[in-house]
């Protein structure tokens, strides 16, 4: 039985909120005499730091049934959110990846929203043979399910969280152990996934693992749009998940 951590979905790394500070001063020449120039009001004031969204605000922009009519949605449970918060790794540098796969937020977020989505199985005709119906059922069981997590940050927190995931992908390429709530899962390899172009910046990983001798492959996509980070962790009971392109596109569009 696969680890709950590896089969749910989301990320952590220490994120520090930074405010932008811009000041300017200069001098002008008039009749070869120097005069002090006063800084403009715009340049002398610190640029306001971006404010992160709350749970309630993110709930209005997370992908939903109306955005993907051909998919089924199910809300994440409080237990899943708690599991994501406690998820960790034997290698500190890999914690962001563990969080991303366990529906946890990276760093210190101002708000989060979570959902789970899977494509609806095709309707079966009443005239289908028992063999075809069984095949359709097996195909449905092998569909890719995706856990979507939105996390918002003050200042540059989202950029720092994204950077920590990017660093972790390289540092943890050889694998790591994910653990939490008394369970553990072994990731054996982290490699590049199919390229994703979305938001302000995006990355994709193919994550391979082994749970009690059973090999599996999950897909992890991370998109940053402004100060909001969207993570998509996809898995399949077949053992090999597909990248959830339709879900990523719909969520990115909804973030604006």
């Amino acid at each position: 039985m696969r680890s709950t951590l590896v089969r749910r979905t989301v990320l952590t790394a220490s994120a520090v909120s930074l405010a932008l500070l811009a000041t300017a001063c200069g001098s002008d020449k008039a009749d070869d005499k120097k005069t002090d120039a006063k800084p403009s009001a715009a340049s002398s004031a610190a640029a306001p730091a971006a404010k992160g969204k709350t749970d309630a605000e993110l709930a209005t922009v997370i992908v939903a049934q109306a955005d993907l009519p051909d998919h089924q949605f199910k809300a994440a449970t409080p237990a899943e959110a708690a599991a994501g918060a406690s998820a960790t790794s034997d290698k500190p540098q890999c914690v962001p990846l563990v969080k991303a796969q366990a529906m946890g937020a990276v760093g210190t977020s101002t708000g989060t929203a979570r959902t789970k989505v899977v494509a609806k199985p095709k309707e079966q005709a009443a005239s289908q043979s028992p063999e075809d119906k069984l095949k359709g059922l097996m195909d449905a069981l092998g569909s890719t399910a995706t856990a979507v997590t939105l996390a918002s940050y003050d200042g540059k927190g989202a950029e720092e969280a994204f950077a920590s995931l990017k660093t972790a992908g390289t540092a943890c390429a050889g694998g790591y152990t994910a653990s939490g709530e008394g369970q553990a899962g072994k990731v054996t390899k982290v490699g590049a996934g199919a390229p994703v172009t979305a938001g302000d910046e995006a990355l994709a990983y193919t994550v391979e693992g082994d749970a009690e001798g059973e090999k599996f492959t999950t897909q992890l996509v991370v998109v940053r749009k402004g100060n909001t980070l969207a993570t998509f962790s996809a898995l399949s009971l077949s053992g090999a998940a597909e990248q959830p392109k339709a879900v990523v596109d719909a969520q990115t569009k909804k973030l604006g």
Side-chain angles (χ1 to χ4, degrees):
M1 183 176 181
R2 298 195 184 100
S3 162
T4 301
L5 280 175
V6 178
R7 296 171 57 183
R8 285 190 210 142
T9 319
V10 161
L11 199 188
T12 199
S14 178
V16 181
S17 298
L18 299 178
L20 298 177
L21 178 64
T23 58
C25 61
S27 62
D28 294 327
K29 283 189 177 181
D31 298 329
D32 294 327
K33 293 182 180 179
K34 293 183 178 180
T35 58
D36 293 333
K38 294 181 179 180
S40 67
S43 62
S44 61
K51 294 293 294 180
K53 294 181 176 64
T54 63
D55 291 357
E57 289 172 326
L58 287 175
T60 67
V61 294
I62 194 166
V63 68
Q65 188 70 67
D67 306 305
L68 286 169
D70 57 347
H71 285 62
Q72 294 176 317
F73 286 76
K74 185 175 182 180
T77 66
E80 287 171 327
S86 64
T88 188
S89 173
D90 60 329
K91 298 179 180 179
Q93 64 270 34
C94 303
V95 172
L97 291 173
V98 175
K99 293 288 186 179
Q101 290 188 289
M103 301 184 84
V106 182
T108 304
S109 64
T110 59
T112 55
R114 303 173 177 86
T115 192
K116 295 172 290 185
V117 56
V118 63
K120 291 180 179 179
K122 295 180 180 179
E123 291 187 7
Q124 295 183 341
S127 59
Q128 279 187 317
S129 67
E131 291 79 8
D132 287 340
K133 288 183 178 179
L134 178 60
K135 182 179 183 302
L137 175 61
M138 296 304 293
D139 288 343
L141 291 174
S143 297
T144 295
T146 305
V148 183
T149 303
L150 298 184
S152 193
Y153 303 81
D154 284 336
K156 291 189 175 181
E159 294 177 46
E160 293 167 0
F162 184 91
S164 71
L165 275 174
K166 194 171 184 179
T167 298
T170 300
C172 306
Y176 54 89
T177 296
S179 60
E181 297 189 330
Q183 296 185 336
K186 180 66 177 178
V187 168
T188 56
K189 181 181 178 181
V190 178
V196 173
T197 302
D200 296 321
E201 52 185 343
L203 59 81
Y205 295 129
T206 295
V207 182
E208 300 177 17
D210 189 311
E212 299 178 359
E214 185 178 0
K215 298 186 182 303
F216 61 90
T217 299
T218 62
Q219 299 292 328
L220 177 63
V221 176
V222 183
V223 175
R224 182 184 68 80
K225 179 64 177 180
N227 60 347
T228 296
L229 201 69
T231 56
F232 309 82
S233 181
L235 59 91
S236 171
L237 292 179
S238 70
E242 298 177 352
Q243 191 179 87
K245 187 178 186 305
V247 181
V248 172
D249 289 347
Q251 180 61 79
T252 303
K253 181 179 179 181
K254 198 162 184 178
L255 288 176

